[in-house]
Amino acid sequence: MKLTMLGTGNAMVTECYNTCFVLSEGQRHFLVDGGGGNTLLRQLKGAEIDWRNIEGIFVTHKHIDHVLGIIWMLRMICQNMNGNKYEGEVRIYAHDEVIGLIDQMAQMLLPEKQSRFIGQRVHLISVSDGERRSILGREIAFFDIQSTKAKQFGFTMYFDDGKKLTCCGDEPYNSCNEAYAANSTWLLHEAFCLSSEAEIYHPYEKHHSTVKDACQLAEKLQVKNLLLYHTEDENLLHRKKLYEREGAAYFSGNLYVPEDLEVIQI
Ligand SMILES: [Zn+2]
């Protein structure tokens, strides 16, 4: 499988795209979050991912840097369904509140000739805490991260050989999700900034972590590969090098600080 980071930034970035990514098995794709808008379509194009082959979408929570790109996906899909240029069906997974919001936005923002496909060939699927589904032929468990800001779910994808990939969404790991995150082969976790720059960026005020925090956590959870995202964008040119350098002191596994459109084999 491969993972393509479409965006790696936090909500307010302007130098890169908001955090969202695609898991791919050959030409079959699973999109996680949509970023804040139409740039999603550009990033998919840049990654050479055919949006027609996105068969599943998961939306972690309702913040606009994650959900608004989904409206653009819906428009693309429904417009092409209406023009007979899209053959398949698509499944959008999220917790009940986000599903209700997406449904409402689509009904209010898209013309009826597009929104009519919702419920027909665009399936809005509300998932509960601990619920398991099969996506891209893999088992996925969704879990509530118990956010105090806006209800948010993460997920773990299980692979045949006992390996697993866990996405904690865009907030710090919550110990109530230990069964999912511990011993993950891959852990996708937010890191707003370097610990050495915490006084500049104030990650804790925003309920985010530093690179050091995320790396200490991954070490404790015996994670093999840690991927950091949802960062500030002041120094993107050197972000990878600086974050990897700080993280290496606290995490003995493989640390990834991807750029937008970077592809990682998992
Ligand atoms: Zn966010």
Side-chain angles (χ1 to χ4, degrees):
M1 272 196 114
K2 71 177 190 189
L3 181 147
T4 305
M5 292 307 301
L6 298 177
T8 56
N10 77 78
M12 298 300 283
V13 292
T14 51
E15 302 301 313
C16 60
Y17 193 46
N18 308 124
T19 294
C20 54
F21 59 91
V22 174
L23 287 162
S24 307
E25 184 79 76
Q27 293 306 310
R28 300 174 65 192
H29 307 295
F30 174 50
L31 170 68
V32 179
D33 284 338
N38 172 287
T39 302
L40 173 64
L41 307 182
R42 192 179 77 185
Q43 296 303 85
L44 287 169
K45 194 173 175 181
E48 296 180 355
I49 292 170
D50 187 345
W51 57 270
R52 289 178 183 79
N53 295 331
I54 295 177
E55 54 186 61
I57 299 172
F58 173 56
V59 188
T60 56
H61 64 303
K62 69 178 181 184
H63 285 167
I64 58 175
D65 57 316
H66 298 263
V67 78
L68 289 185
I70 300 300
I71 299 301
W72 281 95
M73 275 304 295
L74 279 175
R75 177 183 166 164
M76 283 280 277
I77 291 167
C78 293
Q79 189 172 322
N80 281 272
M81 281 179 172
N82 188 47
N84 292 318
K85 291 176 191 151
Y86 180 101
E87 311 245 301
E89 302 193 350
V90 64
R91 289 176 168 69
I92 302 182
Y93 305 88
H95 61 67
D96 53 354
E97 197 185 319
V98 166
I99 287 294
L101 184 72
I102 291 172
D103 194 17
Q104 227 179 351
M105 282 197 293
Q107 303 298 343
M108 292 175 83
L109 298 174
L110 301 179
E112 202 274 329
K113 63 183 179 188
Q114 293 173 8
S115 63
R116 68 193 169 102
F117 292 103
I118 292 167
Q120 277 185 36
R121 292 167 61 196
V122 177
H123 305 283
L124 301 184
I125 299 165
S126 121
V127 292
S128 52
D129 185 22
E131 188 166 337
R132 288 173 184 245
R133 292 272 175 168
S134 174
I135 297 173
L136 301 183
R138 315 270 186 195
E139 187 176 33
I140 282 195
F142 298 101
F143 55 84
D144 191 334
I145 70 161
Q146 303 291 338
S147 169
T148 52
K149 294 197 293 187
K151 182 174 171 183
Q152 178 165 179
F153 276 19
F155 70 88
T156 294
M157 179 181 265
Y158 297 92
F159 302 103
D160 302 333
D161 42 8
K163 296 178 177 169
K164 60 179 181 176
L165 174 146
T166 301
C167 164
C168 294
D170 80 345
E171 288 189 35
Y173 160 81
N174 185 321
S175 59
C176 68
N177 299 136
E178 187 178 353
Y180 298 105
N183 302 303
S184 284
T185 320
W186 288 89
L187 184 71
L188 279 47
H189 195 279
E190 60 87 28
F192 195 79
C193 62
L194 294 166
S195 171
S196 60
E197 294 184 334
E199 287 188 9
I200 302 170
Y201 297 111
H202 308 288
Y204 304 121
E205 283 173 22
K206 303 175 187 78
H207 199 54
H208 288 310
S209 321
T210 65
V211 172
K212 176 184 172 183
D213 299 329
C215 286
Q216 285 179 325
L217 168 78
E219 186 70 21
K220 197 178 81 183
L221 292 174
Q222 296 185 297
V223 164
K224 295 205 170 49
N225 302 283
L226 173 65
L227 185 149
L228 301 179
Y229 56 31
H230 209 269
T231 77
E232 48 80 25
D233 65 342
E234 289 286 315
N235 190 4
L236 276 190
L237 195 60
H238 300 111
R239 177 179 63 177
K240 187 189 281 281
K241 194 179 66 192
L242 294 171
Y243 281 32
E244 284 177 355
R245 188 188 297 160
E246 179 173 292
Y250 306 99
F251 179 58
S252 58
N254 303 311
L255 179 59
Y256 293 81
V257 185
E259 313 287 356
D260 283 18
L261 297 184
E262 196 168 325
V263 178
I264 294 163
Q265 295 295 330
I266 55 170

